[in-house]
Amino acid sequence: MKYNKVTPEIVEELRRIVGDRNVIYDDSEALEAYSHDEVAEKEYAHMPDVVVKPTSTEQISEIMKLANRYMIPVTPRGAGSGLSGGAVPACGGMVLSVEKMNRILEIDTKNLMAVVEPGVVTNEINNAIKDYGLFYAGYPMSVETCYIGGNVAENAGGGKAIKYGVTSRYIMGLEIVTPEGDIINLGGKRVKDVTGYDLLHLMVGSEGTLGIFTKIIVKLQPMPVAKADLLVLFNSVKEAIDIVPIIMTNGKIIPTSIEFMDELSFKTSCEYLNEHLPYQNAKAMLLIELDGDSMDIIESQYETIGELCMKNSAIEVYVADNATTIERVWRIRRNIAEAWKLVSPHQSLEDVVVPVSEIPAFMEKLEQLQKKYNVSIPCYGHAGDGNLHATAVKNPDWTLEEWYDTLHKLLPEMYEIVGKLGGTISGEHGIGHKRKDYMYLVLGDKEIELMKKIKKAFDPNMILNPGKLFNVE
Amino acid sequence: MKYNKVTPEIVEELRRIVGDRNVIYDDSEALEAYSHDEVAEKEYAHMPDVVVKPTSTEQISEIMKLANRYMIPVTPRGAGSGLSGGAVPACGGMVLSVEKMNRILEIDTKNLMAVVEPGVVTNEINNAIKDYGLFYAGYPMSVETCYIGGNVAENAGGGKAIKYGVTSRYIMGLEIVTPEGDIINLGGKRVKDVTGYDLLHLMVGSEGTLGIFTKIIVKLQPMPVAKADLLVLFNSVKEAIDIVPIIMTNGKIIPTSIEFMDELSFKTSCEYLNEHLPYQNAKAMLLIELDGDSMDIIESQYETIGELCMKNSAIEVYVADNATTIERVWRIRRNIAEAWKLVSPHQSLEDVVVPVSEIPAFMEKLEQLQKKYNVSIPCYGHAGDGNLHATAVKNPDWTLEEWYDTLHKLLPEMYEIVGKLGGTISGEHGIGHKRKDYMYLVLGDKEIELMKKIKKAFDPNMILNPGKLFNVE
């Protein structure tokens, strides 16, 4: 597949479509901001030739038609907060930023849905609907910076998936510009729809390779009014994980979150925060969040869970039932990555998945990996859905070369481990640029071949976000 | 596309693969049972040449390879309880029945999942897991007869979608034989997975046209322990529907079901059942079900809903909070179809969808349709998700010819109405054989073209369930 360079003539045509002020060209400082996402390592970055910031569906349609005519790669971009290089123009060409399409178009309280543009910051949806007593439940951890368009592209997960599911559950309709520039509509304001293949949810998680979302209909629901958190300390990873199904079966409770932190994670974070919880003897922590319609229910639930935890060998249970204490326990979880950045800014944040019951087995293998490669891999994440942020951190004694060399051996080995445990290499960050060479570790040739055929069916010239999921052939 | 007839030589090969007793051939009485599903009208029936009943994934793989070699159409079949002709061998050839693949292979209480074969009756899953305090929430109204394989193929809905969603939410993994006979695995025991395109959920609702499911991993959850129903009478459809979002926003309650019945539906059913509720003045009924973890919560919820209904012009609210009274109110809803069969067995059961807020507008249009065609169209269904079983019933005075003639004009007109209201022609029964000529009324050419490309990508010889969704070209 051969792409063409962006010429000054093509830039002129782009300026005609979106207006002068919405094109960045020949300005390497301004272009650089569009060359990477939040992946720490710069080896995954790539400079675009040009950045366009369309303001309408019709402009995007024109841009895609032009790109097909000249065979220019187009990489759609949301907030750039992704963690797999999905918004990086891996083959150069054009970055299509949706940052100017950031309007909340409709809040429909009769059908409990909102219609938004892709460049809306996800949390803005919640700000706009909270006065109606509603909330959008599909939000990821980066809710205050990410765009809803990126959430749809990556099928973003987050800490609340155990109760609320992930983004796909809340996407009811999409207006899309196809790679060839056609404008299509999938789904709508309807809760059920089995009219033909479910293209709508095929688009969710397609990482900007099958189409560009221009309008998004999301489902809203009543906002829970009460909330509490439990911080539970355990002597071992196994004891911590064993409690997860017990809460749901014996306790008959589906918590909002069950977050897991291993010793490396919480100790580093607590030290960083100067937090004086008596955590010294613990080998694992769970942070369990509950939400619901009344504080009475929540109280009865956290009592049940507390008892179950103590009966099943927890060291200690702390309850946080007001804003101050809730913030105190969550900041331990939220500051793990920051705390480890002091050790080294060179890190590889993973989001592997295993069946919940296999978390202890995975943690054992992870310990072996750490010893084998002489590297720290703090591990934390969403225990309730087996989605773990194992994060290899550069050994401060190493040169960068030694680090990359190690990482390129360590990552496939970690991916192979999750594959053998019945898991997969990405639960919420996506394959993108970073993990495309490793899909074969968890998917068969036939599955990958079917995915490639689907890509080709949507994008015959292979110009939309090339170099993601698959290599350019 | 030209298919070949099933010859005695091919039948011999099939006997070799699945064994003599698992092939039906040259026995029109036995074959007839496989020529139709639950669609009332026999115009959608078609006789198969041969029926095979494989007992393993490997046998299905061999059968598909053989069918590709000889260009024989293969129609997969579950319980035959479908309502769109999906399991009917529209192009003749082979019916592949999964009735002998009916084992529950695993109940995994650690990961809250079960692994089942496609021929398991859906309710059998619930029977097998209830002692663990678990339930499978994806079940449709026909739960006691349908197979889980058919549920996945049709993405079955049902009355509980408003709270629990539809089948797709609960499908975590599939083993599939592709139309070319390859065995592939999608998903697994993992709650999150963004490794490549979501082929898993593309298969859900693909109506047996993209692959044959041979193992299904379903998600389980804690069984609610308390339940109650409200039967609420209203003076108008509009007043009944207006209450739906009010329950969720003002009441902050997501009921398990909000079932709607129009006057034609509940009066005929009540008369049939000799039910003496004082329903005479009502123009619409809602049947609202609640479930949860304690009767205290349920009581407080039904009191809230009862008050909201009375404040918003309900005529009367009846509470059913024990098995006997719950059965009494639900049998009104369940017997509508039976009651109308006494008027005429010739009916067209539809499952159109509109945005919830558009139900009153749809009901007005439906009244106009009834007058225009001089036909009764009782309408009931799942108000909480706008999924309505508008059921045209043959006028007893008409000849069958007059009936079919009317139906072929009336249906597209009804479908056009839902399309204009932002709805679609099927919410849970599927397109199948019955509605394939009408998809264009709610989908654009480009959307249908993309679906055809996907079909071709999976099934290059177009031998798996041909004549469904699209016409054979």
Side-chain angles (χ1 to χ4, degrees):
Chain A
M1 190 63 62
K2 259 307 237 321
Y3 300 109
N4 291 316
K5 289 289 291 178
V6 176
T7 61
E9 292 70 36
I10 293 173
V11 174
E12 270 322 296
E13 291 202 50
L14 289 170
R15 287 193 170 120
R16 187 190 49 76
I17 296 170
V18 298
D20 281 3
R21 55 186 290 181
N22 291 325
V23 173
I24 306 174
Y25 182 64
D26 205 13
D27 177 347
S28 58
E29 204 173 321
L31 288 172
E32 197 277 338
Y34 296 86
S35 70
H36 61 86
D37 62 3
E38 286 294 315
V39 171
E41 300 302 351
K42 290 298 168 271
E43 63 171 333
Y44 301 107
H46 195 291
M47 285 290 277
D49 298 327
V50 62
V51 173
V52 289
K53 305 176 188 177
T55 54
S56 73
T57 306
E58 292 66 31
Q59 288 180 2
I60 296 180
S61 167
E62 271 198 78
I63 292 166
M64 291 314 300
K65 285 177 182 165
L66 179 143
N68 274 282
R69 211 153 57 231
Y70 292 109
M71 286 296 288
I72 306 290
V74 178
T75 300
R77 183 180 177 92
S81 58
L83 286 159
S84 57
V88 171
C91 301
M94 193 191 311
V95 163
L96 189 155
S97 168
V98 297
E99 66 198 78
K100 298 223 163 162
M101 293 176 71
N102 59 359
R103 291 173 302 164
I104 294 176
L105 299 171
E106 189 192 351
I107 296 168
D108 179 346
T109 55
K110 288 246 173 186
N111 292 300
L112 300 182
M113 297 190 193
V115 185
V116 301
E117 290 188 322
V120 171
V121 172
T122 308
N123 211 32
E124 291 296 317
I125 300 174
N126 277 317
N127 290 339
I129 62 180
K130 65 172 181 236
D131 289 346
Y132 302 100
L134 294 172
F135 92 121
Y136 166 69
Y139 63 88
M141 301 296 272
S142 57
V143 63
E144 286 172 16
T145 53
C146 61
Y147 291 174
I148 184 73
N151 294 175
V152 178
E154 304 295 325
N155 194 12
K160 303 191 174 187
I162 183 171
K163 177 166 179 177
Y164 290 112
V166 295
T167 302
S168 62
R169 188 186 291 182
Y170 300 97
I171 304 307
M172 299 288 118
L174 289 172
E175 180 189 77
I176 295 164
V177 176
T178 69
E180 296 189 280
D182 295 312
I183 299 166
I184 65 171
N185 276 282
L186 301 173
K189 286 185 184 173
R190 37 193 191 248
V191 180
K192 286 178 180 165
D193 186 349
V194 294
T195 311
Y197 300 137
D198 190 357
L199 299 186
L200 174 66
H201 292 101
L202 179 65
M203 300 306 298
V204 181
S206 62
E207 304 196 8
T209 66
L210 299 183
I212 299 170
F213 317 132
T214 48
K215 283 199 190 88
I216 300 166
I217 305 177
V218 299
K219 181 108 196 77
L220 311 175
Q221 60 190 60
M223 187 159 41
V225 294
K227 196 159 94 165
D229 285 86
L230 297 165
L231 188 70
V232 192
L233 277 49
F234 291 90
N235 282 312
S236 73
V237 172
K238 189 175 177 309
E239 285 166 339
I241 298 308
D242 279 351
I243 198 73
V244 175
I246 290 174
I247 291 170
M248 292 191 266
T249 51
N250 300 35
K252 293 192 164 299
I253 296 163
I254 303 180
T256 315
S257 313
I258 305 183
E259 294 290 298
F260 165 79
M261 291 169 269
D262 75 353
E263 196 179 0
L264 275 181
S265 303
F266 68 76
K267 284 201 171 160
T268 310
S269 182
C270 285
E271 278 162 28
Y272 172 73
L273 294 168
N274 205 15
E275 169 58 68
H276 294 296
L277 276 171
Y279 57 80
Q280 280 73 7
N281 297 322
K283 296 286 179 198
M285 271 190 198
L286 290 184
L287 175 50
I288 302 170
E289 183 157 291
L290 301 163
D291 69 12
D293 300 331
S294 86
M295 209 55 209
D296 286 354
I297 300 171
I298 297 299
E299 275 176 24
S300 125
Q301 288 185 340
Y302 72 60
E303 276 165 24
T304 303
I305 294 176
E307 280 165 28
L308 286 169
C309 287
M310 291 312 291
K311 241 191 274 182
N312 287 272
S313 59
I315 304 175
E316 196 62 79
V317 177
Y318 298 95
V319 175
D321 59 358
N322 61 61
T324 313
T325 52
I326 287 175
E327 170 55 22
R328 184 172 165 200
V329 296
W330 268 96
R331 67 185 202 131
I332 302 173
R333 163 66 180 87
R334 272 206 315 271
N335 279 280
I336 297 168
E338 264 329 283
W340 275 93
K341 277 189 192 154
L342 294 189
V343 180
S344 170
H346 294 286
Q347 309 189 351
S348 186
L349 174 57
E350 299 304 310
D351 68 315
V352 295
V353 183
V354 292
V356 173
S357 62
E358 300 291 354
I359 294 176
F362 175 71
M363 294 301 296
E364 265 178 46
K365 293 278 183 189
L366 204 59
E367 208 167 311
Q368 291 164 19
L369 270 189
Q370 300 188 63
K371 282 185 189 141
K372 177 172 174 183
Y373 289 105
N374 188 25
V375 65
S376 295
I377 314 180
C379 185
Y380 57 99
H382 318 303
D385 30 78
N387 184 202
L388 296 172
H389 297 308
T391 307
V393 181
K394 176 178 168 291
N395 186 321
D397 302 336
W398 290 347
T399 64
L400 261 186
E401 206 177 15
E402 285 173 303
W403 160 239
Y404 287 130
D405 191 46
T406 305
L407 193 60
H408 292 156
K409 289 176 198 149
L410 186 155
L411 281 187
E413 202 166 332
M414 189 195 295
Y415 295 155
E416 233 170 298
I417 290 166
V418 295
K420 282 183 185 154
L421 292 171
T424 191
I425 63 176
S426 180
E428 54 185 23
H429 296 166
I431 300 304
H433 191 24
K434 187 180 174 185
R435 298 183 184 91
K436 68 182 170 187
D437 293 327
Y438 304 118
M439 280 221 288
Y440 77 95
L441 291 170
V442 288
L443 290 177
D445 292 347
K446 292 288 171 189
E447 290 87 325
I448 294 175
E449 196 185 297
L450 285 169
M451 289 181 189
K452 285 184 179 172
K453 282 186 185 173
I454 287 174
K455 169 66 177 167
K456 191 85 187 168
F458 278 79
D459 185 9
N461 289 327
M462 306 297 264
I463 60 159
L464 190 62
N465 213 356
K468 309 300 167 62
L469 295 173
F470 323 108
N471 283 304
V472 176
E473 279 163 8
Chain B
M1 190 62 62
K2 256 309 233 323
Y3 300 110
N4 291 316
K5 286 292 286 178
V6 175
T7 62
E9 292 70 36
I10 293 173
V11 174
E12 270 323 296
E13 291 202 49
L14 290 170
R15 287 193 169 120
R16 187 189 50 73
I17 296 170
V18 297
D20 279 4
R21 54 185 290 180
N22 290 326
V23 173
I24 305 174
Y25 181 63
D26 205 14
D27 177 348
S28 57
E29 205 174 319
L31 289 172
E32 196 277 339
Y34 295 87
S35 70
H36 61 85
D37 62 2
E38 286 294 316
V39 172
E41 300 302 350
K42 291 297 169 266
E43 63 170 334
Y44 300 107
H46 196 289
M47 283 292 276
D49 297 328
V50 63
V51 173
V52 289
K53 304 175 189 178
T55 54
S56 74
T57 306
E58 292 66 30
Q59 288 180 1
I60 295 179
S61 168
E62 272 198 76
I63 293 166
M64 291 313 300
K65 285 176 182 166
L66 179 143
N68 274 281
R69 212 153 56 233
Y70 293 109
M71 289 295 287
I72 306 290
V74 178
T75 300
R77 182 181 178 91
S81 58
L83 287 159
S84 58
V88 171
C91 300
M94 195 191 310
V95 164
L96 189 157
S97 168
V98 297
E99 66 197 77
K100 298 222 164 164
M101 294 177 70
N102 59 359
R103 290 174 303 165
I104 293 176
L105 299 170
E106 189 192 352
I107 296 168
D108 179 345
T109 55
K110 288 245 174 187
N111 292 301
L112 300 182
M113 295 190 195
V115 186
V116 300
E117 290 187 323
V120 172
V121 171
T122 309
N123 211 33
E124 291 296 317
I125 301 173
N126 277 317
N127 289 338
I129 61 180
K130 65 172 181 236
D131 288 346
Y132 302 99
L134 295 172
F135 92 123
Y136 166 68
Y139 61 89
M141 300 296 273
S142 58
V143 64
E144 287 173 15
T145 52
C146 61
Y147 291 175
I148 185 72
N151 294 174
V152 178
E154 303 295 325
N155 194 11
K160 302 190 174 188
I162 182 170
K163 177 166 179 179
Y164 290 111
V166 295
T167 303
S168 62
R169 187 185 292 182
Y170 299 96
I171 304 305
M172 299 289 118
L174 288 173
E175 179 189 79
I176 295 164
V177 176
T178 69
E180 296 189 279
D182 295 312
I183 299 167
I184 65 171
N185 277 281
L186 301 173
K189 286 185 183 173
R190 35 193 193 250
V191 180
K192 285 178 180 165
D193 186 348
V194 294
T195 312
Y197 300 137
D198 190 357
L199 298 187
L200 175 65
H201 291 102
L202 179 63
M203 299 307 296
V204 181
S206 62
E207 304 197 7
T209 66
L210 299 181
I212 299 171
F213 318 132
T214 49
K215 282 198 191 87
I216 301 166
I217 304 178
V218 299
K219 182 109 195 75
L220 311 176
Q221 62 190 61
M223 186 159 41
V225 294
K227 196 159 96 165
D229 285 87
L230 299 164
L231 188 70
V232 193
L233 277 48
F234 290 91
N235 282 313
S236 73
V237 171
K238 189 174 177 308
E239 285 166 340
I241 298 307
D242 279 351
I243 199 74
V244 174
I246 291 174
I247 291 170
M248 292 191 266
T249 52
N250 300 36
K252 293 193 166 295
I253 297 164
I254 303 181
T256 316
S257 312
I258 306 183
E259 295 289 298
F260 165 79
M261 293 170 266
D262 74 353
E263 195 180 1
L264 274 181
S265 303
F266 67 76
K267 285 201 171 162
T268 308
S269 181
C270 285
E271 278 162 27
Y272 171 73
L273 295 167
N274 206 15
E275 169 58 69
H276 293 296
L277 277 169
Y279 57 80
Q280 281 72 10
N281 298 322
K283 296 286 180 199
M285 272 191 199
L286 291 183
L287 174 52
I288 302 169
E289 183 157 291
L290 301 163
D291 68 13
D293 300 332
S294 86
M295 208 57 209
D296 286 355
I297 300 171
I298 297 299
E299 275 175 24
S300 124
Q301 288 185 339
Y302 71 61
E303 275 165 24
T304 303
I305 294 177
E307 279 165 29
L308 286 169
C309 286
M310 291 311 291
K311 239 191 273 178
N312 286 274
S313 57
I315 303 174
E316 195 62 79
V317 178
Y318 298 95
V319 176
D321 59 358
N322 62 60
T324 314
T325 52
I326 286 175
E327 170 55 23
R328 183 172 166 201
V329 296
W330 269 95
R331 65 185 202 132
I332 301 173
R333 162 68 178 84
R334 272 208 314 274
N335 279 280
I336 298 168
E338 262 332 280
W340 274 93
K341 277 188 191 156
L342 294 188
V343 180
S344 170
H346 295 286
Q347 309 189 352
S348 186
L349 173 57
E350 300 303 310
D351 68 313
V352 294
V353 183
V354 292
V356 174
S357 65
E358 299 292 352
I359 294 178
F362 174 71
M363 294 301 295
E364 263 179 48
K365 292 280 183 188
L366 204 59
E367 207 167 311
Q368 290 165 18
L369 270 190
Q370 300 189 62
K371 282 186 189 140
K372 177 173 173 183
Y373 289 105
N374 188 26
V375 65
S376 295
I377 315 180
C379 185
Y380 57 99
H382 318 303
D385 29 80
N387 184 202
L388 296 172
H389 296 309
T391 307
V393 181
K394 175 178 168 290
N395 186 323
D397 302 336
W398 289 348
T399 63
L400 262 185
E401 207 179 13
E402 284 173 305
W403 160 238
Y404 286 130
D405 190 49
T406 304
L407 193 60
H408 292 157
K409 289 176 199 150
L410 185 156
L411 281 187
E413 202 166 331
M414 190 195 295
Y415 294 155
E416 232 170 298
I417 290 166
V418 295
K420 282 184 185 153
L421 291 171
T424 191
I425 62 175
S426 180
E428 54 185 23
H429 297 165
I431 300 304
H433 191 26
K434 185 178 174 184
R435 298 184 184 90
K436 68 181 170 188
D437 293 327
Y438 304 119
M439 282 221 288
Y440 77 94
L441 290 170
V442 288
L443 291 177
D445 292 347
K446 292 287 171 191
E447 289 88 326
I448 293 175
E449 196 185 297
L450 285 168
M451 290 182 189
K452 286 184 178 173
K453 282 186 185 175
I454 287 174
K455 169 66 178 169
K456 191 85 187 168
F458 279 78
D459 186 9
N461 289 327
M462 307 295 264
I463 61 158
L464 190 63
N465 213 356
K468 308 302 165 63
L469 294 174
F470 322 109
N471 283 304
V472 177
E473 276 161 12

